[in-house]
Amino acid sequence: MPPTTLSAAPSAQLHECLISLGSNIEPDHYVVQALDIISRECNLLARSKTIRTRPVGYQHQPDFLNAALLVSTPLEREAFRAYLKGVEDRLGRVRGAIKSGPRTMDLDIVAWDGEVVDDGYYRHDYVKKPVDEVLASSGRTLLSQTR
């Protein structure tokens, strides 16, 4: 089971993580809940505005609300990814047969310590636009932004 809280050695190095957030099941409710959890349990450095987007892939579902968050964490990337999956679970995420189907919450690591680790950044405006907004507002850049 993924961890539900963050803990690391007191002298652990902090990593910066850009997170893509999306919801299309009661999205107004679940986006607020995700922001509340992450801002309480992580060091939230910046966030984008929330945008409404059409579904990609499976089309027979409601529109999504998407945003991006910049946080710092003492956890290593895989441990933080497991933490995010735990947050999804706490928010009632059900992983069904349709990978791109409806969900209460989807939290994905887009960039880790300034390096893009999710190609969704290059392929999907619902990821790129909010991430670019966070980068602009926080004065950050991505190491592998040009492709």
Side-chain angles (χ1 to χ4, degrees), residues 32-44 69 71 83:
V32 169
Q33 294 299 308
L35 288 169
D36 181 57
I37 290 169
I38 290 171
S39 63
R40 274 187 290 112
E41 297 178 354
C42 301
N43 183 19
L44 181 62
L69 311 174
V71 301
Y83 163 75

Side-chain angles (χ1 to χ4, degrees), residues 44-72:
L44 181 62
L45 303 172
R47 68 163 287 203
S48 71
K49 293 180 210 140
T50 304
I51 61 171
R52 186 169 299 275
T53 61
R54 304 281 308 153
V56 172
Y58 180 69
Q59 296 293 307
H60 302 289
Q61 61 181 324
D63 288 349
F64 280 81
L65 287 183
N66 294 97
L69 311 174
L70 176 64
V71 301
S72 64

